[in-house]
């Protein structure tokens, strides 16, 4: 039987030469083998610890939270990579990522610099290893980019609304909101909302006047004939916008026949 190596005899197995006998340790916990020459010694220590745990349960009649005291627990975390002190974490000097606007990147790093010590203290309190803390640092940077990006977008939208309101008040100081609705109707009929948002023409007086004329020409009052919605039908995105506008109207909610027919007709022209 000895020649098969079943009881320790025979030739040394390949795993003993290449260290694979420690492969049972999960990634990140390889340091647990320190102080043990062979896996048998490691498992012997584990077995004795489990025996002590069982004995403690029998004596006290209680299930303990664990069989490591605080000192042993901290020693274990230090072996895994937790610094001795909170300021021992090796965070990068700055958070970096490609394609992040310079102004947002500056805000992210300024925030991380201000909160650096607090973040280190949190990581230390939570028993994070240096590797885990660095990953948390990266994730916080991503989160801040998203937050600052949303803030910037909301601010841009607020600024655009204010500029539009100022431009409208100069052109139509009376009943400004009503004129704004007329312009928005013109934008929807023309199907150029996206293009206006991306251009610098949105607040030009001439553009606003042209959209106002278009909105008046295609307004509900101008569109109505003897049978209600009797004007010519737009196509494509303009048809979609008008259809949605009618669907939101009181006439449609009250099942007005003219509004229902108009919506059905517009639906057939959306893809044209």
């Amino acid at each position: 039987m000895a020649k098969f190596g079943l009881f320790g005899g025979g030739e040394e197995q390949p795993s003993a030469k290449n260290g694979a006998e420690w492969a049972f340790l999960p990634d990140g916990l390889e340091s647990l083998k320190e102080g043990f020459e062979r896996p048998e010694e490691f498992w012997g220590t584990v077995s004795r610890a489990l025996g002590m745990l069982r004995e403690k349960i029998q004596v006290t009649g209680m299930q303990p939270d664990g069989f490591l005291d605080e000192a042993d627990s901290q020693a274990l975390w230090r072996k895994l990579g937790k610094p001795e002190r909170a300021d021992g974490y090796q965070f990068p000097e700055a958070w970096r990522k490609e394609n992040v606007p310079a102004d947002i990147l500056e805000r992210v790093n300024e925030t991380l610099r201000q909160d650096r010590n607090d973040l280190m203290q949190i990581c230390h309190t939570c028993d994070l290893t240096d590797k885990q803390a660095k990953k948390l640092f990266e994730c916080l940077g991503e989160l801040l980019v998203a937050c600052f990006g949303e803030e910037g977008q909301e601010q841009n939208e607020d600024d655009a609304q204010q500029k539009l309101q100022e431009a409208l008040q100069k052109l139509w100081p009376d009943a400004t909101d009503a004129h704004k609705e007329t312009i928005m109707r013109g934008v929807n009929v023309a199907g150029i909302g996206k293009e206006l948002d991306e251009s610098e023409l949105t607040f030009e007086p001439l553009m606003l006047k042209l959209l106002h004329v278009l909105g008046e020409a295609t307004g509900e009052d101008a569109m109505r004939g003897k049978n209600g919605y009797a004007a010519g039908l737009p196509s494509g995105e303009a048809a979609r916008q008008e259809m949605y506008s009618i669907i939101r109207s009181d006439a449609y909610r009250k099942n007005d026949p003219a509004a229902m027919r108009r919506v059905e007709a517009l639906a057939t022209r959306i893809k044209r």
Side-chain angles (χ1 to χ4, degrees):
M1 296 293 288
K3 68 178 182 178
F4 296 107
L6 295 178
F7 300 100
E11 297 181 357
E12 184 179 359
Q13 298 300 311
S15 62
K17 296 180 179 180
N18 57 26
E21 69 273 19
W22 292 99
F24 62 86
L25 291 175
D27 292 343
L29 297 180
E30 294 86 354
S31 61
L32 290 178
K33 69 181 179 180
E34 294 179 7
F36 302 102
E37 294 184 0
R38 295 177 298 125
E40 290 82 354
E41 297 177 5
F42 172 84
W43 288 117
T45 300
V46 172
S47 178
R48 287 191 296 275
L50 290 174
M52 293 171 60
L53 176 61
R54 287 192 293 268
E55 182 178 351
K56 186 173 184 178
I57 294 174
Q58 291 175 355
V59 172
T60 63
M62 298 175 61
Q63 181 72 38
D65 294 333
F67 54 88
L68 289 179
D69 58 23
E70 182 62 21
D72 291 337
S73 176
Q74 290 302 316
L76 173 62
W77 284 116
R78 284 194 292 273
K79 275 191 174 183
L80 295 176
K82 176 186 176 182
E84 290 280 351
R85 301 178 359 156
D87 58 4
Y89 288 104
Q90 301 297 315
F91 287 154
E93 288 298 323
W95 188 91
R96 295 183 178 86
K97 186 176 181 180
E98 295 182 358
N99 302 323
V100 176
D103 58 330
I104 292 182
L105 190 61
E106 183 178 354
R107 289 186 65 187
V108 168
N109 279 303
E110 179 61 24
T111 301
L112 290 175
R113 278 193 295 270
Q114 292 177 353
D115 297 337
R116 193 180 188 90
N117 293 335
D118 291 338
L119 178 58
M120 286 183 174
Q121 188 59 56
I122 290 172
C123 291
H124 201 259
T125 302
C126 295
D127 291 329
L128 298 188
T129 65
D130 188 62
K131 182 177 180 181
Q132 292 170 327
K134 288 177 180 176
K135 189 63 178 178
L136 178 61
F137 183 87
E138 295 175 8
C139 293
L140 284 176
E142 295 279 0
L143 181 61
L144 289 171
V145 168
C147 291
F148 293 151
E150 291 178 0
E151 288 179 6
Q153 183 176 356
E154 292 175 357
Q155 185 62 48
N156 290 338
E157 292 175 357
D158 291 343
D159 292 344
Q161 288 294 331
Q162 183 176 352
K163 289 180 180 178
L164 177 59
Q165 196 68 21
E166 292 174 355
L168 291 172
Q169 287 176 349
K170 290 180 180 179
L171 293 172
W172 298 283
D174 298 327
T176 303
D177 290 340
H179 288 288
K180 181 179 180 181
E181 291 180 4
T182 302
I183 289 175
M184 294 307 298
R185 187 162 57 246
V187 171
N188 291 335
V189 171
I192 58 174
K194 181 180 179 181
E195 288 78 3
L196 282 175
D197 288 339
E198 295 174 351
S199 72
E200 298 180 356
L201 301 175
T202 307
F203 315 112
E204 290 293 329
L206 179 59
M207 176 61 70
L208 292 175
K209 289 180 180 179
L210 289 174
L211 291 172
H212 192 277
V213 171
L214 181 59
E216 285 183 324
T218 56
E220 290 185 358
D221 291 337
M223 290 165 52
R224 294 181 186 275
K226 293 181 180 180
N227 297 323
Y229 295 91
L233 292 172
S235 61
E237 184 61 24
R240 183 192 303 277
Q241 295 294 336
E242 183 182 336
M243 184 181 71
Y244 289 160
S245 176
I246 296 174
I247 289 174
R248 292 192 294 268
S249 69
D250 290 336
Y252 186 84
R253 285 193 288 269
K254 295 178 181 179
N255 296 319
D256 179 74
M260 304 295 286
R261 288 194 299 271
R262 183 75 176 182
V263 168
E264 292 175 2
L266 288 168
T268 64
R269 298 175 62 85
I270 289 177
K271 295 183 179 180
R272 295 187 180 185

